Amino acid sequence: MSKNWPLWEVFIRAKNGLSHRHAGSVHAADAKMALEAARDTYTRRMEGVSLWVVPSAAIIASDPGDAAELFEPAADKVYRHPTFYSIPENIKNI
Amino acid sequence: MYTTELKDKNQKPQVAAVVEDPERLAAFEARVAADDFIEPKDWMPEAYRKTLVRQISQHAHSEIVGMLPEGNWITRAPSLRRKAVLLAKVQDEGGHGLYLYAAAETLGTSREEMIEALHSGRAKYSTIFNYPTLTWADIGAIGWLVDGAAIMNQVPLQRTSYGPYARAMVRVCKEESFHQRQGYEIMMALAGGTDAQKRMAQDALNRWWWPSIMMFGPPDENSPNTAQSIRWRIKRETNDELRQKFIDVTVPQAEAIGLTIPDADLKWNDARGSYDYGAIDWEEFYAVVRGEGPVAKERMQARVKAWEDGAWVRDAATAHAAKHEAREAAE
């Protein structure tokens, strides 16, 4: 191969009403070819009704090393959840 | 289709050249032991990464090379239905190869490196594809036995510890079951046919049985990396455990259509609740791993030719993309 083709991430909408979901990746020279390759590779059995392809290089990912500071603070904010509040049994519809 | 990790018998066992940070290593081991998945950006020991790259790329190569023995029967399939089915199956194998290459790439190895390793003969692929497909019954035997063995291997890999590999396996397993059923259906049709057709089915079983049970790899006592791979949840079951399971489910399938497994020592063992089976010719296995399989050279020649013949298409697509990018930039 004279030049390595870029990597594209493939997202499939299984049916209308659902969001697109990551399925995998393909190599392709351009966006049109990436769509065609994604169709052949990931939708041979009616897996979806719509495809997105996104250049993998365009995805900015969080660092797993930062997971603690990014996501753990949520654990000590239990008051964000409805079960934190105790309401007497006789109060309905709440 | 799948192969267990393959190495030449004389190849040195893998030694971890890198000394890992004991604290990170302990944290990693604990995560894996708790059945957590490891994702591409997570820290992992070098030996884990290397083992995975080798196993996943061998698996990918096996899918791609696996298209060759079946591909050469597409034009000779006995009916339009069989032809459509075989085309779909071969296309699936290509897809499986692509899922797996993509999973291996997340570990930092490029597609080009892997393809180069295959074509230069450095990379291994399943020994099973270096046997010839002589008759139409071989296509039945491959689907039934080779894909059957692959399923046995791949089902536990859906829970392998490396996330991208596990996800690829989920897709593969979903698609693989049709492969095995269409193969068994071919065998069933032949076994229920004329005497000549029945002989053809039995002959295919005779030739594919032993190579199929060798697909699970060397016996556990000669598989030095198995313990490590099981501890890291790269493998979930040992070669011998999987081989036994495969034999136990396959023998009744052969009996049901009046075919005989070519193993005089095969016998149900009531105490074990499993079949005892005869000695496997491991010298043959290691010879095929070394590249001495009956059609090893033809397979690689066909693979390299396809790659080289397709070069102009890849170059044209690259040039087309570059031209359009330049044109858009100019606007």
Side-chain angles (χ1 to χ4, degrees):
Chain A
M1 203 181 286
S2 50
K3 185 185 158 201
N4 296 346
W5 285 342
L7 194 66
W8 305 73
E9 298 304 317
V10 178
F11 298 82
I12 303 173
R13 184 199 296 287
K15 58 180 187 180
N16 284 348
L18 298 177
S19 44
H20 285 76
R21 197 172 161 196
H22 186 241
S25 40
V26 292
H27 283 277
D30 58 27
K32 182 166 179 278
M33 189 182 181
L35 263 184
E36 287 166 356
R39 182 252 173 213
D40 287 345
T41 310
Y42 292 103
T43 63
R44 291 193 300 280
R45 288 178 175 77
M46 300 181 289
E47 282 89 345
V49 295
S50 162
L51 276 173
W52 287 351
V53 289
V54 180
S56 306
I59 290 180
I60 315 295
S62 65
D63 184 337
D66 296 339
E69 64 184 82
L70 284 174
F71 308 116
E72 268 170 27
D76 62 12
K77 295 187 178 62
V78 286
Y79 48 83
R80 289 181 190 274
H81 297 280
T83 47
F84 177 72
Y85 305 92
S86 41
I87 306 286
E89 289 270 325
N90 60 336
I91 308 296
K92 300 296 180 200
N93 300 317
I94 186 163
Chain B
M1 292 183 182
Y2 175 72
T3 171
T4 186
E5 195 194 345
L6 294 174
K7 286 206 265 185
D8 287 350
K9 205 181 182 181
N10 302 327
Q11 225 167 315
K12 281 191 212 119
Q14 212 192 343
V15 271
V18 193
V19 180
E20 305 285 4
D21 173 1
E23 212 170 292
R24 289 180 123 175
L25 189 61
F28 172 87
E29 300 265 2
R31 276 184 67 187
V32 169
D35 277 334
D36 194 1
F37 286 102
I38 304 301
E39 293 294 343
K41 294 182 73 175
D42 293 341
W43 183 87
M44 61 187 85
E46 267 317 295
Y48 177 84
R49 186 185 299 273
K50 274 199 187 130
T51 306
L52 274 174
V53 167
R54 192 172 53 233
Q55 182 171 323
I56 302 173
S57 64
Q58 282 181 359
H59 193 165
H61 297 327
S62 301
E63 303 284 353
I64 298 298
V65 178
M67 294 197 281
L68 298 170
E70 294 186 304
N72 71 22
W73 274 95
I74 290 173
T75 55
R76 295 177 286 169
S79 70
L80 191 56
R81 175 180 181 272
R82 296 285 188 207
K83 189 183 295 226
V85 166
L86 189 55
L87 264 173
K89 178 180 192 298
V90 172
Q91 194 192 13
D92 274 356
E93 307 299 359
H96 297 176
L98 296 179
Y99 308 155
L100 287 158
Y101 281 131
E105 283 172 77
T106 63
L107 292 158
T109 176
S110 74
R111 181 79 56 100
E112 291 71 27
E113 283 174 86
M114 288 186 275
I115 290 174
E116 202 277 319
L118 173 67
H119 291 180
S120 69
R122 275 184 294 120
K124 304 285 179 203
Y125 56 89
S126 181
T127 47
I128 197 80
F129 304 119
N130 287 333
Y131 291 89
T133 38
L134 304 177
T135 72
W136 172 249
D138 289 27
I139 300 305
I142 287 181
W144 173 33
L145 302 173
V146 175
D147 288 277
I151 291 171
M152 218 32 109
N153 246 319
Q154 289 170 157
V155 164
L157 285 175
Q158 294 177 100
R159 294 178 296 116
T160 191
S161 60
Y162 188 56
Y165 191 23
R167 291 191 286 275
M169 281 303 100
V170 171
R171 295 191 74 88
V172 168
C173 286
K174 243 186 234 169
E175 299 179 354
E176 200 88 66
S177 135
F178 122 66
H179 297 181
Q180 192 189 15
R181 290 171 70 108
Q182 66 84 35
Y184 190 68
E185 194 200 62
I186 291 173
M187 292 303 262
M188 233 167 32
L190 290 170
T194 63
D195 283 349
Q197 287 170 327
K198 192 165 180 175
R199 276 199 303 278
M200 195 191 267
Q202 183 62 52
D203 168 63
L205 173 58
N206 291 350
R207 284 181 290 107
W208 288 94
W209 174 253
W210 292 101
S212 296
I213 64 170
M214 287 180 198
M215 276 176 73
F216 295 95
D220 295 346
E221 67 264 26
N222 291 336
S223 187
N225 291 331
T226 292
Q228 168 86 306
S229 284
I230 295 242
R231 197 160 53 89
W232 279 344
R233 308 280 205 267
I234 292 174
K235 279 177 86 140
R236 306 289 318 216
E237 286 172 76
T238 72
N239 298 351
D240 285 332
E241 284 165 3
L242 291 165
R243 183 168 15 249
Q244 184 71 61
K245 267 193 187 175
F246 174 74
I247 292 171
D248 289 348
V249 302
T250 308
V251 172
Q253 293 168 355
E255 284 169 355
I257 52 175
L259 297 179
T260 310
I261 303 281
D263 178 357
D265 298 322
L266 189 81
K267 213 175 89 199
W268 178 253
N269 181 327
D270 232 356
R272 287 202 309 128
S274 271
Y275 284 93
D276 293 336
Y277 53 94
I280 296 173
D281 179 1
W282 291 110
E283 281 318 305
E284 174 181 326
F285 173 80
Y286 286 115
V288 181
V289 171
R290 281 195 305 271
E292 296 163 23
V295 291
K297 286 202 179 67
E298 287 90 327
R299 294 286 184 253
M300 258 330 94
Q301 277 164 4
R303 196 50 231 134
V304 171
K305 182 177 186 301
W307 179 253
E308 286 172 356
D309 288 353
W312 71 271
V313 181
R314 294 191 298 277
D315 289 343
T318 304
H320 179 80
K323 192 175 81 183
H324 277 263
E325 204 177 329
R327 198 176 286 167
E328 276 164 35
E331 273 169 15

